[in-house]
Amino acid sequence: MNTIDLRSADERVVRTSVEVVAKASRDDLGRPTPCSAWTLGDLLAHMTAQHHGFAAAARGGGADLAVWRPRPLDADPVAAYAAAAEEVLAAFAGPDVLDRAFALPEVGPGATFPGAQAIGFHFIDYVVHAWDVARSLGLSYELDDDLAEDALRVALAVPGGDHRLGPGASFRPELPAPEDASPLDRILTALGRSPNWPDGA
């Protein structure tokens, strides 16, 4: 998908996601999200688990499916999410991490990717999931122009196909985008999100 170093961009997006998640209370956990049948609580459990999984992959332990499995929400899911975000950012900071083989078993049995590409997957996931959380909470969400440029490039490289219709698919089939769509809206529609959710779900 990409061979450039997106760690700085990924860190900015992840830290933004922490700020957005921090605006959620326990009373919000039952809210619907743009992620199909997931509540906000389900989404936070997934986002937290993915941080743990990518951190394990960066350290050479990603082949174990257990490290990717969502856990029951912590008593303080916002703090648990923030801690998981710090864990993955620390794991990505190693000097040779871009060239390591990341095992990503959720992609498929035995699937491995160069670190630079795997971090690109993580980056685009958290661009979209931060937007998911913001929309679930009724908040605005913006991307800096340079981040939007990187994210659009990655989003347009995500393979399409019938696998996007399967259970647990990260993204849904691409949606049409108007000619005057913003970069963020183009990212969202490329990955099957309606920028107008919930009105355009």
Side-chain angles (χ1 to χ4, degrees):
M1 182 179 295
N2 61 300
T3 56
I4 63 173
D5 186 350
L6 285 172
R7 286 180 295 178
S8 176
D10 181 73
E11 179 176 2
R12 289 165 60 193
V13 165
V14 168
R15 293 201 182 283
T16 296
S17 77
V18 171
E19 293 172 4
V20 175
V21 168
K23 299 181 185 301
S25 70
R26 290 201 68 85
D27 290 341
D28 293 318
L29 298 180
R31 286 175 175 260
T33 73
C35 301
S36 186
W38 282 358
T39 65
L40 182 58
D42 298 330
L43 177 58
L44 289 182
H46 167 78
M47 292 168 66
T48 302
Q50 289 292 299
H51 283 328
H52 289 309
F54 273 93
R59 297 190 296 256
D64 181 2
L65 273 169
V67 302
W68 300 90
R69 193 168 297 127
R71 306 166 190 173
L73 284 178
D74 191 86
D76 187 345
V78 170
Y81 178 75
E86 291 300 329
E87 178 191 1
V88 76
L89 294 177
F92 284 175
D96 63 342
V97 73
L98 298 180
D99 299 317
R100 294 178 196 168
F102 279 45
L104 303 181
E106 292 186 321
V107 176
T112 62
F113 297 86
Q117 188 174 17
I119 290 169
F121 298 160
H122 187 263
F123 167 64
I124 196 62
D125 278 352
Y126 285 86
V127 168
V128 175
H129 283 328
W131 177 85
D132 290 331
V133 174
R135 294 303 304 138
S136 179
L137 295 171
L139 303 173
S140 62
Y141 177 76
E142 302 292 339
L143 269 182
D144 291 340
D145 290 346
D146 59 328
L147 290 179
E149 181 179 344
D150 285 334
L152 182 58
R153 184 178 66 254
V154 177
L156 294 177
V158 173
D162 291 343
H163 69 278
R164 289 199 186 184
L165 294 169
S170 298
F171 304 116
R172 307 301 292 170
E174 182 176 0
L175 299 175
E179 291 184 8
D180 61 348
S182 69
L184 177 57
D185 286 356
R186 291 180 63 200
I187 292 162
L188 295 170
T189 56
L191 299 175
R193 297 287 201 277
S194 169
N196 299 318
W197 187 92
D199 296 334

